[in-house]
């Protein structure tokens, strides 16, 4: 990397403009070009054995340059991230600003940072939700002691929790990069496209069948995605405030409920994932106990 500049675009988005030295590019190009020559098949010669002036005509220079950028850019990008102490939340968006032969290359890399959530007064939210519910609807530990009350208690618990989380999302604010939102919306649209293809429809036809439009669906996706991030990151903050931890005994208890040996072994290999699940459940239980 010759040099770089960093620009804060706001909303948790940062842009790097990285200049790659032309001499480095040339060296890497020559190396990649020679490697590409080894795959050229010319009639009358064994693979990779044709004279260079003949074989060179069959090499796709664009593919060679693509390999050059894939070789040179990651190191320069990582160096810039390290110097600026930046940790991206998603894959970077890369744009080649200048890639002329014989000149320094300039690459623009845009990255999204982890969204930042500002929580509402979640303790008041829990208090208000409990106050709004009928006394016999409020779930408390031990309420489901009688078997006949268990289903009702669990239903009330889910109802209360969903109401709390909805209000938590409503009363919280979030600073989230447009890059994250765009990626998330595109992911949902791709999944939707795959689903409607299975029933022989286009996305537009599906939208009309639901009395909506593609734009309205995108807007709904954006709302749902924003709320999802508010809740997920908000719960992380609540967990940190409450100093909620996952002990070895918690994992042991979970794994102890798995009777199949192979399934248990696989679960133990993914202990980090299960620890995350347990911590989330502990955080939700903590919310309900406030």
């Amino acid at each position: 990397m010759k040099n770089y500049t960093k620009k804060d675009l706001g909303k948790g988005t940062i842009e790097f403009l990285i200049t790659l030295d032309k001499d480095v590019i040339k060296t890497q190009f020559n190396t990649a070009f020679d490697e590409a020559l080894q795959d050229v098949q010319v009639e009358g010669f064994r693979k990779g054995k044709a004279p260079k002036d003949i074989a060179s005509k069959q090499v796709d220079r664009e593919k060679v340059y693509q390999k050059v950028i894939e070789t040179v850019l990651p190191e320069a990008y990582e160096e810039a991230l390290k110097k600026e102490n930046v940790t991206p939340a998603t894959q970077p968006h890369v744009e080649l600003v200048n890639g002329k032969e014989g000149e320094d290359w300039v690459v623009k890399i845009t990255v999204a940072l982890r969204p930042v959530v500002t929580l509402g007064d979640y303790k008041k939210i829990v208090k208000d939700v409990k106050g709004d519910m009928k006394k016999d609807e409020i779930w408390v530990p031990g309420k489901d002691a009688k078997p006949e009350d268990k289903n009702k208690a669990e239903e009330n618990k889910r109802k209360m929790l969903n109401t709390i989380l909805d209000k938590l999302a409503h009363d919280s604010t979030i600073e989230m990069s447009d890059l994250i939102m765009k990626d998330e919306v595109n992911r949902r649209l791709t999944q939707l496209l795959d689903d409607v293809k299975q029933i022989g429809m286009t996305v537009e036809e599906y939208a009309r069948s639901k009395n909506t439009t593609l734009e309205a669906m995108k807007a709904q996706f954006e709302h749902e995605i924003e709320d999802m991030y508010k809740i997920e990151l908000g719960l992380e903050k609540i967990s940190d405030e409450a100093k909620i931890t996952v002990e070895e005994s918690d994992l042991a208890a979970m794994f102890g409920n798995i009777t199949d040996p192979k399934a248990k072994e696989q679960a133990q290999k993914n202990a980090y994932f299960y620890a995350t699940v347990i911590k989330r459940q502990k955080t939700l239980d903590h919310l309900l106990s406030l």
Side-chain angles (χ1 to χ4, degrees):
M1 177 173 63
K2 194 169 186 178
N3 54 62
Y4 73 89
T5 60
K6 172 191 166 191
K7 183 178 180 181
D8 187 345
L9 301 181
K11 292 182 65 176
T13 308
I14 290 177
E15 176 187 287
F16 289 103
L17 208 59
I18 297 176
T19 301
L20 304 172
D21 190 276
K22 61 183 178 181
D23 292 331
V24 174
I25 297 296
K26 183 179 179 180
T27 299
Q28 289 295 332
F29 178 85
N30 291 337
T31 299
F33 195 87
D34 289 342
E35 291 175 356
L37 287 174
Q38 302 305 309
D39 292 327
V40 173
Q41 181 74 60
V42 177
E43 187 175 352
F45 298 91
R46 285 182 297 163
K47 184 178 180 180
K49 297 300 182 181
K52 189 171 182 178
D53 59 333
I54 297 175
S56 295
K57 296 176 182 178
Q58 296 192 29
V59 174
D60 188 333
R61 295 176 70 88
E62 283 191 14
K63 288 185 177 179
V64 175
Y65 274 121
Q66 181 64 35
K67 187 170 183 179
V68 170
I69 198 74
E70 290 173 356
T71 301
V72 176
L73 186 58
E75 184 178 347
Y77 173 56
E78 289 298 329
E79 184 181 342
L81 291 179
K82 186 175 181 180
K83 286 184 176 179
E84 298 295 333
N85 195 28
V86 169
T87 303
T90 62
Q91 290 296 316
H93 287 225
V94 181
E95 178 187 344
L96 184 61
V97 177
N98 178 45
K100 292 182 180 179
E101 196 167 340
E103 296 182 7
D104 291 338
W105 284 13
V106 180
V107 182
K108 181 165 67 176
I109 301 181
T110 312
V111 299
L113 305 181
R114 180 180 171 85
V116 177
V117 168
T118 302
L119 279 174
D121 188 344
Y122 64 90
K123 293 181 181 179
K124 183 176 185 302
I125 289 173
V126 174
K127 182 179 179 181
D128 289 346
V129 170
K130 287 183 176 180
D132 291 340
M133 294 183 73
K134 295 178 183 177
K135 186 175 181 180
D136 62 354
E137 290 181 339
I138 298 177
W139 176 88
V140 292
K143 183 176 181 179
D144 56 347
K146 294 181 180 180
E148 61 269 23
D149 292 336
K150 186 174 182 179
N151 290 338
K152 183 180 178 181
E154 286 298 322
E155 182 182 347
N156 290 339
K157 178 181 176 181
R158 286 193 295 270
K159 180 180 177 182
M160 178 183 292
L161 186 56
N162 288 337
T163 303
I164 290 171
L165 294 180
D166 285 344
K167 289 183 177 294
L168 181 69
H170 181 271
D171 289 3
S172 300
T173 60
I174 187 170
E175 180 179 84
M176 181 166 65
S177 171
D178 291 338
L179 295 180
I180 294 178
M181 181 62 77
K182 182 179 178 181
D183 286 348
E184 292 280 4
V185 169
N186 286 342
R187 189 176 297 112
R188 291 198 180 197
L189 286 174
T190 299
Q191 183 61 57
L192 177 62
L193 179 61
D194 290 341
D195 291 343
V196 298
K197 275 185 176 180
Q198 298 297 320
I199 56 176
M201 298 177 71
T202 65
V203 173
E204 289 76 11
E205 289 170 339
Y206 174 79
R208 286 196 296 271
S209 74
K210 297 295 183 180
N211 294 318
T212 186
T213 64
L214 183 57
E215 288 306 312
M217 290 171 63
K218 287 182 179 179
Q220 180 62 29
F221 286 160
E222 290 178 356
H223 175 72
E224 292 172 356
I225 290 164
E226 185 173 280
D227 279 357
M228 176 186 73
Y229 272 90
K230 283 180 178 179
I231 291 171
E232 290 298 324
L233 298 180
L235 287 175
E236 282 188 19
K237 277 196 165 188
I238 293 169
S239 176
D240 290 342
E241 283 185 21
K243 295 181 172 55
I244 293 173
T245 59
V246 176
E247 308 297 335
E248 288 293 335
S249 57
D250 296 321
L251 288 168
M254 173 174 278
F255 297 147
N257 292 325
I258 304 174
T259 56
D260 182 80
K262 289 185 177 180
K264 179 180 288 189
E265 181 181 356
Q266 187 61 36
Q268 289 170 334
K269 289 180 180 178
N270 294 293
Y272 179 80
F273 167 76
Y274 286 100
T276 302
V277 173
I278 293 172
K279 189 171 185 179
R280 177 186 171 88
Q281 187 57 55
K282 281 189 169 185
T283 305
L284 294 175
D285 290 342
H286 171 71
L287 264 181
L288 290 172
S289 70
L290 294 175

